[in-house]
Amino acid sequence: MSKTSFEDMNCPIAQTLEQVGEWWSLVILRNAFCGMSRFQEFQQHLGISTSILARRLEKLVDNGILQRQPSHEDARIVHYRLTDKGRSLYPILAAMTLWGEQWAPNPQGARLTLVEKATGLPVAGVGIRAADGRELQPEQITTVAGPGADDKTHALMRIREETA
């Protein structure tokens, strides 16, 4: 049995995947963060079929992650630009990049290194920080059900409490 939609699942992770979890969406966003903006550029670089690319771009636009902008030079040309909502996905892509280099490395060496432009130094990592700036590890964090939590979420939090 395959899950085709997380639309009815009351979970922030599931809802994030509903918007950006399709097979090609995150690599399209990776390319958008690298400055790619035109349909033909995405298609040529990714080797994705035009119909799949059109569907993925449409969904990213419908979800407010990308916006369509006509070119100033030629109104027939459309650019896909990251919105603020789309730009806020960067830490997720950065974390996936760092995770992939550590846990799914290329034997020939790093494929990508995240580097701070101002210093030229590699980015130390992506983490979760406390309100005072300390980096926290997963065992130092708990999850608390909020006002939008449903019965399944409350059950999951009970399991977490029992196994803590």
Side-chain angles (χ1 to χ4, degrees), residues 115-122:
V115 176
E116 182 183 3
K117 285 182 180 181
T119 64
L121 297 173

Side-chain angles (χ1 to χ4, degrees), residues 21-164:
E22 292 176 313
W23 184 258
W24 286 101
S25 296
L26 291 175
V27 290
I28 291 169
L29 291 173
R30 174 204 63 196
N31 285 21
F33 276 106
C34 288
M36 200 171 282
S37 68
R38 294 181 52 216
F39 186 96
Q40 290 77 12
E41 293 172 322
F42 288 113
Q43 199 282 321
Q44 287 177 340
H45 186 264
L46 297 172
I48 184 174
S49 78
T50 56
S51 61
I52 291 173
L53 177 59
R55 284 195 304 270
R56 297 301 182 267
L57 288 170
E58 180 180 357
K59 185 167 184 177
L60 291 167
V61 169
D62 288 347
N63 286 321
I65 294 165
L66 294 175
Q67 62 184 359
R68 291 171 51 99
Q69 291 181 338
S71 172
H72 297 299
E73 296 84 35
D74 184 345
R76 296 172 297 176
I77 297 172
V78 173
H79 292 276
Y80 292 89
R81 305 281 188 208
L82 290 158
T83 63
D84 288 342
K85 182 177 179 180
R87 289 176 51 79
S88 72
L89 288 164
Y90 188 76
I92 294 169
L93 292 171
M96 291 178 73
T97 299
L98 295 170
W99 188 93
E101 288 297 354
Q102 181 175 358
W103 298 104
N106 181 316
Q108 296 175 358
R111 294 159 290 210
L112 294 171
T113 302
L114 301 177
V115 176
E116 182 183 3
K117 285 182 180 181
T119 64
L121 297 173
V123 172
V126 177
I128 304 296
R129 302 214 176 269
D132 65 5
R134 291 175 295 113
E135 186 166 337
L136 299 173
Q137 298 303 313
E139 59 274 5
Q140 296 173 289
I141 302 169
T142 191
T143 307
V144 179
D150 60 11
D151 291 341
K152 284 186 173 188
T153 302
H154 285 287
L156 186 60
M157 295 304 100
R158 283 192 297 278
I159 292 168
R160 184 177 177 114
E161 289 170 12
E162 292 168 4
T163 59

